[in-house]
Amino acid sequence: MTNADGGDKDVDNVIRIMVSTDNHLGYLGNDRIRGEDSFVAFEEMLQLAVSEDVDMILLGGDLFHHAVPGQYALHKCLELLRRYTFGDKPVSLEILSDQSRCFHNAVNESVNYEDPNLNISLPVFSIHGNHDDPSGAGRLSTLDLLSTAGLVNYFGRWTDLTKLEISPVLLRKGETHLALYGLSHITDLRLIHLFEEFKVTMQCHTENSTDQSAEDEESNWFHLMVVHQNRANRGHKQYLPEELLPAFLNLIIWGHEHDCRIEPELNVKRDFYVSQPGSSVPTSLSEGESIKKHVGLLEIYKNKFQLKPLPLKTVRPFIFESINLSDMAAELGLDEGDAKSKVEKFARMKIEEMIERSKDRLTGHPKQPEIPLIRLRLLYPNESYMFNTIRFGQEYNSRVANPADIVHFKKLIQKSKAETINLDKEAMKKALEMENTTRVEELVDRYFDEAQGQKPLKLLHSKALAEITFRLVERHDPNAADNIVNFLLGAPRW
Ligand SMILES: [Mn+2]
């Protein structure tokens, strides 16, 4: 187990969760080739959950691609959930909290497996994402329909946009206590403002038996959160910085980002882990979406966890490659004659090679579609290199799943060549020779004193760099760079 020795865990005490996100059911539902892809991958996840005999499934939002899904997508989802999550097997998760506020549009105001009129063997818990967020009359998400039907435990739904009070779903299995926090998608800008105004409160649940010490109590609860926000920095206030989330959390399952980064990553500032499972179906032909798709088997024992990535074997092979045609100009002779035809010929050769490579992604699973997704991105410096990509794609109608957009031309933005600055060995030697240079920040400072004039720094003054070095090395301050840069920019610190 991560940060654990494994210990004496046993089946009755370990909470096992199948983790998946961004299933985008109904994505390209009308596409003759790709129409079934989202359902096939979702069904594989459900089958894995059953075969791994997990206690619950946790979804990170965007179960549906459209806020109002078509009949087919909705029917397919209902059918799959009925088939895999109903049954006689008892659910071993005991619910400890008063759930009347936690579950949205649940007829019995609690988890579906406590509803005496339903026979649930595998509970599904889900927040909503930005694709299946509430809309229309009554502000309903499709998850509300699933919740009312008793198929999904829809939680983490905010109802008041002026403040967020996130209280956990409390679950227990033997010795393991799980506090499950959900935050359904909310625009990043609004969320950041709520954080800045201290209007986000997350109840840290440590309550246990009163005769234990505070330390024991804390270690008895595992704090798991699921969010659906931008994680990558997409501009100021256009993403949720991980460190805005409270340090008492142990693990965050991050939805919304489609690239698979499922291996838990430690956030050193907060001392929690973040796992980003990624989507189960690619919805854009980007490089990140070509990373192999996974779901996760999360096991929690007391305050320890381990997360085992399980590769999805039914996902359509997808090969992405990006080529800068400027780099190929000499080799392909693009500066003379018919550049367009030469580029087209090169692209044809490349596509063949990529189709060949896609075969490495075949898993042998009977439901995996074999016709691959292929995306060749060509960066071009001028229009004379471009050919008609629609006509080009028609040649691959039966061999590639996305014939209309195999080749994507992208204009190369000419940047002034970055100057390569090498270490000034002479200046470094002089700096090292100086007496009393015992501190690393002095070394930085003196090096730039010696080298100044020839190679001044362009982004930061050398004094600032020296200060950052000092704080990092001497003070072990992991925020040093952020703080100094923010100070220099005059930006608010939040
Ligand atoms: Mn999504």
Side-chain angles (χ1 to χ4, degrees):
M1 297 218 154
T2 303
N3 68 23
D5 51 14
D8 57 338
K9 63 181 169 100
D10 67 60
V11 194
D12 298 331
N13 295 309
V14 178
I15 298 182
R16 306 176 82 241
I17 305 175
M18 180 60 64
V19 177
S20 179
T21 184
D22 293 78
N23 309 100
H24 284 264
L25 297 179
Y27 174 67
L28 285 185
N30 295 323
D31 189 284
R32 150 183 90 79
I33 303 177
R34 301 163 68 187
E36 289 295 314
D37 287 12
S38 62
F39 307 111
V40 171
F42 184 61
E43 183 169 14
E44 186 187 359
M45 182 279 291
L46 292 168
Q47 286 170 337
L48 282 168
V50 171
S51 65
E52 291 288 347
D53 196 23
V54 297
D55 298 302
M56 61 178 270
I57 293 172
L58 178 61
L59 301 178
D62 284 1
L63 174 59
F64 290 94
H65 185 68
H66 300 286
V68 181
Q71 300 273 46
Y72 184 77
L74 190 54
H75 177 261
K76 196 84 194 175
C77 178
L78 295 172
E79 181 203 333
L80 292 171
L81 289 173
R82 271 293 299 263
R83 182 175 304 157
Y84 292 100
T85 71
F86 279 45
D88 289 333
K89 187 175 96 67
V91 175
S92 46
L93 295 173
E94 189 187 337
I95 192 131
L96 300 179
S97 43
D98 167 19
Q99 295 310 316
S100 52
R101 285 189 315 149
C102 278
F103 296 103
H104 206 255
N105 265 326
V107 173
N108 68 332
E109 300 196 324
S110 186
V111 282
N112 58 352
Y113 60 90
E114 293 219 325
D115 187 329
N117 295 313
L118 296 170
N119 198 28
I120 305 295
S121 59
L122 178 50
V124 178
F125 289 77
S126 185
I127 60 170
H128 73 242
N130 56 313
H131 280 260
D132 49 10
D133 62 338
S135 63
R139 302 291 301 159
L140 291 174
S141 161
T142 308
L143 292 177
D144 284 305
L145 307 189
L146 298 181
S147 177
T148 301
L151 290 155
V152 161
N153 300 300
Y154 176 22
F155 76 116
R157 162 82 187 258
W158 36 262
T159 44
D160 180 353
L161 277 178
T162 62
K163 62 178 191 300
L164 288 176
E165 284 167 0
I166 306 170
S167 56
V169 178
L170 304 177
L171 299 159
R172 186 177 83 97
K173 184 183 175 189
E175 297 168 359
T176 301
H177 293 75
L178 172 64
L180 175 62
Y181 298 80
L183 176 58
S184 284
H185 174 79
I186 177 170
T187 61
D188 291 301
L189 183 64
R190 192 185 285 271
L191 181 57
I192 297 297
H193 283 159
L194 289 170
F195 269 109
E196 283 177 344
E197 291 159 13
F198 302 101
K199 290 195 174 142
V200 182
T201 45
M202 278 180 66
Q203 191 189 95
C204 171
H205 194 87
T206 56
E207 183 198 324
N208 207 335
S209 55
T210 43
D211 54 4
Q212 281 179 300
S213 72
E215 200 180 320
D216 278 353
E217 284 171 17
E218 203 173 324
S219 65
N220 271 344
W221 283 90
F222 189 90
H223 302 272
L224 175 65
M225 182 164 196
V226 56
V227 300
H228 190 102
Q229 303 291 144
N230 281 331
R231 182 181 178 202
N233 185 342
R234 296 199 171 83
H236 187 50
K237 298 188 184 183
Q238 295 303 313
Y239 72 110
L240 171 62
E242 289 173 13
E243 50 271 23
L244 283 188
L245 296 172
F248 67 76
L249 294 170
N250 298 83
L251 174 67
I252 293 136
I253 300 296
W254 207 291
H256 189 58
E257 299 281 0
H258 284 203
D259 306 9
C260 177
R261 271 169 69 185
I262 195 165
E263 285 289 354
E265 296 166 19
L266 177 67
N267 181 307
V268 288
K269 290 183 190 171
R270 282 286 176 268
D271 196 30
F272 53 49
Y273 285 85
V274 179
S275 165
Q276 179 182 308
S279 68
S280 54
V281 62
T283 62
S284 71
L285 299 174
S286 62
E287 187 166 19
E289 292 256 32
S290 71
I291 300 169
K292 280 187 188 161
K293 302 292 189 191
H294 290 78
V295 292
L297 176 60
L298 171 63
E299 292 183 298
I300 300 166
Y301 174 64
K302 292 193 175 177
N303 63 346
K304 320 277 197 281
F305 77 95
Q306 67 181 10
L307 198 154
K308 184 179 164 198
L310 303 175
L312 287 172
K313 294 178 178 163
T314 61
V315 175
R316 185 183 293 281
F318 173 25
I319 303 294
F320 176 97
E321 196 171 335
S322 179
I323 289 173
N324 185 340
L325 289 172
S326 295
D327 298 340
M328 306 295 295
E331 192 181 322
L332 300 177
L334 300 181
D335 294 335
E336 51 195 320
D338 185 359
K340 188 171 83 168
S341 303
K342 290 175 184 172
V343 172
E344 190 168 351
K345 191 174 159 210
F346 168 71
R348 208 166 272 130
M349 182 204 78
K350 205 72 217 171
I351 301 296
E352 289 301 332
E353 185 193 306
M354 291 166 78
I355 293 174
E356 204 48 42
R357 227 188 311 150
S358 76
K359 293 175 182 160
D360 296 345
R361 296 258 179 134
L362 294 177
T363 60
H365 193 292
K367 286 209 167 169
Q368 185 189 26
E370 294 186 3
I371 301 177
L373 292 167
I374 300 287
R375 168 52 64 85
L376 176 63
R377 186 170 68 186
L378 295 174
L379 303 167
Y380 67 98
N382 68 69
E383 277 73 13
S384 73
Y385 288 14
M386 292 173 80
F387 55 83
N388 183 329
T389 55
I390 304 285
R391 205 188 55 221
F392 177 87
Q394 285 166 359
E395 297 172 26
Y396 298 93
N397 263 337
S398 59
R399 299 174 61 214
V400 173
N402 58 313
D405 53 8
I406 300 177
V407 173
H408 173 63
F409 277 104
K410 192 173 180 215
K411 179 87 179 172
L412 201 58
I413 295 159
Q414 295 286 3
K415 284 185 192 148
S416 57
K417 263 195 176 171
E419 201 184 325
T420 313
I421 301 170
N422 294 321
L423 183 73
D424 183 336
K425 287 182 185 155
E426 204 46 43
M428 182 54 98
K429 205 172 144 208
K430 281 187 188 161
L432 281 167
E433 277 169 0
M434 277 188 195
E435 275 177 56
N436 303 326
T437 309
T438 53
R439 307 177 72 88
V440 69
E441 71 277 12
E442 286 170 15
L443 186 64
V444 171
D445 209 14
R446 286 183 186 170
Y447 167 76
F448 283 101
D449 270 351
E450 288 299 322
Q452 206 70 28
Q454 306 156 17
K455 296 173 177 79
L457 288 184
K458 285 190 178 157
L459 282 175
L460 279 180
H461 191 273
S462 62
K463 298 281 181 214
L465 186 62
E467 180 65 18
I468 291 171
T469 315
F470 166 69
R471 291 188 186 195
L472 275 173
V473 177
E474 296 291 321
R475 297 261 170 89
H476 306 287
D477 173 9
N479 301 317
D482 281 1
N483 286 341
I484 298 282
V485 171
N486 282 338
F487 172 75
L488 292 172
L489 292 173
R493 267 159 282 176
W494 39 262

